[in-house]
Amino acid sequence: MTNKPKIGLALSGGVGYCLAHIGVIKALEQRGLEADVVAGTSGGALIGCLYASGLRSDRLEQIAREISWTKLMSPTMVFREKGLLSSEPIEKLVDQLIGTKRRFNEMKLPLSVTAVDLISGKAINFPNHPDDLIAPAVRASCSVPIVYAPLKMGNWLLSDGGILDPLPMESLKRFKPDVTIAVSFMPGQFEPNSLFEIGVRSMEIANIKESQISRKEADIMIELQTGQVSSWDLKSALTLIELGQKAAEKALEASKEKLSAQKPFWFDMINNKWGSGS
């Protein structure tokens, strides 16, 4: 073979859990692997856009160490804005980290971001046009219902992509990857202690069946058991990154045997032998 097979990476939502995606990216890098196309929902859209812009895992880990909810939210007039908080700080943070007014056609890697239109009840996949702006799409995808006010964009009223598409495998497959890697979370049993946690926990429960269907479509499924860590606990960033890295290493190692017959090239890729003639 002369053309490197295309690797697709689907990153699920999960609010603070999305920091574990950084550990997955770190594990890929350590094996000399890099995704060629990326699809993200909610928190996965945030990490996905940073990765697709060209940021490496060491820079992503630095960002995770410094992130806080004060950088990701601001209060709203609840009854007027339809949410407790504004997601505008997310848009500003994306612009700050990848460059102001970056467009989908300017990214290093092709990227798909999923949001949901609360008016039509349909999933909206960005980009609709190659020159669509990244930051507003990511902001919309991360706008957890009730917690964050939805984003008005044209005729759409956009909210969290995880409402309909918690693991964006269909979006990823539009890029026609040769191998698909998906990352999703399996939260443990715990009592939500805030309105924020109740909102996210409700979405997780409502999407269990949909997530199970999407998981079956991935060539390599990386499932992270988050235990008792709250999805709103950004202080557990390093724990989540380590969790993601270990889960990815385990899944990648298992993929050698699983994919060897179906996709013979994968054995060489996973062992960093692609193009070495070995």
Side-chain angles (χ1 to χ4, degrees):
M1 294 184 186
T2 56
N3 295 323
K4 174 183 172 295
K6 185 189 296 185
I7 299 175
L9 183 62
L11 302 178
S12 73
V15 194
Y17 292 152
C18 71
L19 297 178
H21 291 318
I22 298 171
V24 172
I25 293 168
K26 191 173 183 178
L28 291 173
E29 288 179 353
Q30 289 178 345
R31 287 184 176 267
L33 300 172
E34 180 179 285
D36 299 286
V37 292
V38 182
T41 288
S42 195
L46 176 58
I47 301 300
C49 87
L50 300 181
Y51 180 57
S53 75
L55 298 185
R56 305 283 291 179
S57 63
D58 55 350
R59 174 62 178 132
L60 295 176
E61 189 167 344
Q62 179 186 6
I63 292 169
R65 289 173 182 266
E66 299 171 353
I67 203 68
S68 68
W69 285 116
T70 57
K71 296 180 179 180
L72 297 173
M73 56 179 59
S74 60
T76 67
M77 297 293 289
V78 178
F79 295 105
R80 187 180 69 189
E81 301 294 341
K82 305 181 179 70
L84 295 173
L85 302 165
S86 169
S87 56
E88 184 178 6
I90 296 175
E91 182 174 342
K92 290 181 177 179
L93 180 66
V94 171
D95 275 337
Q96 174 189 334
L97 293 174
I98 71 172
T100 304
K101 306 298 183 183
R102 286 285 294 276
R103 301 177 185 277
F104 279 85
N105 59 8
E106 297 173 335
M107 302 298 274
K108 179 183 177 183
L109 304 177
L111 170 70
S112 175
V113 169
T114 304
V116 168
D117 175 27
L118 295 180
I119 298 174
S120 68
K122 296 180 179 179
I124 305 297
N125 293 305
F126 291 94
N128 281 275
H129 304 285
D131 60 351
D132 279 348
L133 294 172
I134 295 283
V138 171
R139 171 186 175 182
S141 185
C142 291
S143 294
V144 180
I146 307 302
V147 177
Y148 282 119
L151 177 64
K152 186 67 175 175
M153 188 183 295
N155 293 324
W156 296 325
L157 186 64
L158 298 176
S159 191
D160 196 305
I163 297 171
L164 289 178
D165 195 11
L167 181 60
M169 283 301 300
E170 288 302 317
S171 299
L172 183 68
K173 288 194 292 185
R174 292 192 181 102
F175 293 125
K176 299 185 182 339
D178 298 299
V179 174
T180 55
I181 302 173
V183 189
S184 190
F185 305 102
M186 300 293 289
Q189 296 185 12
F190 63 91
E191 181 179 349
N193 293 314
S194 68
L195 182 61
F196 298 159
E197 289 187 359
I198 289 172
V200 174
R201 186 65 169 168
S202 298
M203 283 181 55
E204 289 172 352
I205 294 170
N207 285 322
I208 288 175
K209 188 173 183 179
E210 185 67 32
S211 295
Q212 289 173 340
I213 295 172
S214 296
R215 287 187 177 101
K216 294 177 181 178
E217 297 176 351
D219 293 316
I220 302 170
M221 185 66 238
I222 302 172
E223 292 185 335
L224 290 87
Q225 302 287 339
T226 57
Q228 298 302 305
V229 177
S230 166
S231 57
W232 289 90
D233 184 9
L234 296 182
K235 294 180 181 179
S236 298
L238 298 184
T239 299
L240 287 165
I241 291 171
E242 183 179 0
L243 185 70
Q245 184 176 357
K246 288 181 177 178
E249 289 170 350
K250 182 178 179 181
L252 290 170
E253 189 63 28
S255 72
K256 291 181 184 180
E257 182 175 349
K258 176 184 176 183
L259 293 181
S260 60
Q262 181 185 2
K263 302 175 187 288
F265 60 79
W266 183 247
F267 184 86
D268 284 341
M269 291 190 74
I270 200 69
N271 286 287
N272 200 19
K273 296 179 181 179
W274 184 258
S276 66
S278 56

